[in-house]
Amino acid sequence: YMKWIEDSGHLRYADNPKHGVYGPRHLMPVLAKYVQSKEARYGQACLTMLHDYDRWMRAETAKTGWHSNYMHEPTLIGLYVRYLSQGGLLDPQNDPWFKDMILFMNRNIHVWGTPEDFWRGPMHRAQGEGMMKAIAAAWYPDAPEAAEWKAYSEKVWGDFWPYRDNPPNDTGYYYGAVFPLMLGAEILGRQEVFTDPQMKETWERLMWEVTPDGAICPYGAHGGWNSSQGQR
């Protein structure tokens, strides 16, 4: 994986880390390089990206009334927090700008660019919003909305966990829910998501669907051969 990162040119993002809405996704290879090398310039690039993402999110909310980053960004940011904190570059409890960003992010989320919020069900929209609010409440239990966010996230988790599965019979929407569930479980320490016998059956089923390069034979709702390839 690191060889691919180095050969693909993705590390050039460290020289120009301001990518707006795409920052949390684009800079993941840079974060991986930081974890591997401990070189401060890669960590600093990730930090610059987070500041620029914060700038974009506030501008977008001022323009449209909300933002819709519910599926990838919240849990990816959780990974940045873990490793930048370990390197001493970010303290989520004592860096006020970061706390403000996370609270702003959760206060102004409207999934899928619609006025509706607080979606329900095991599908990607509800699981993405539920997981981001679970993480925010865990990080900042003193926030005025923390109890509401925690209660909502628990209801949404209850829409998924008793079944260890979700209904979409497809290669697109299904993986849209897997992404925040998997990373959110890792960030929140919900190891049962990876060890529970019934859940392990789900992981094994998904594993058998996917070829080594992330491709999958399309069925149901999909965007082609490589629909959601990166998530897989």
Side-chain angles (χ1 to χ4, degrees), residues 29-60:
V30 177
L31 179 67
K33 185 64 177 177
Y34 173 66
V35 172
Q36 181 205 46
S37 69
K38 304 298 188 291
E39 289 184 47
R41 76 182 189 95
Y42 293 116
Q44 289 291 346
C46 293
L47 200 58
T48 298
M49 175 277 295
L50 289 175
H51 279 284
D52 191 61
Y53 174 77
D54 186 23
R55 174 205 58 77
W56 171 85
M57 185 170 53
R58 293 176 190 276
E60 176 71 9

Side-chain angles (χ1 to χ4, degrees), residues 2 11-12 27 56 60 73 109 133 151 156-157 163 180 193 197 201 224:
M2 295 307 305
L11 294 182
R12 288 196 297 267
L27 270 286
W56 171 85
E60 176 71 9
E73 294 76 13
I109 179 68
K133 286 177 172 168
V156 171
W157 185 248
Y163 315 101
V193 172
E201 290 183 7

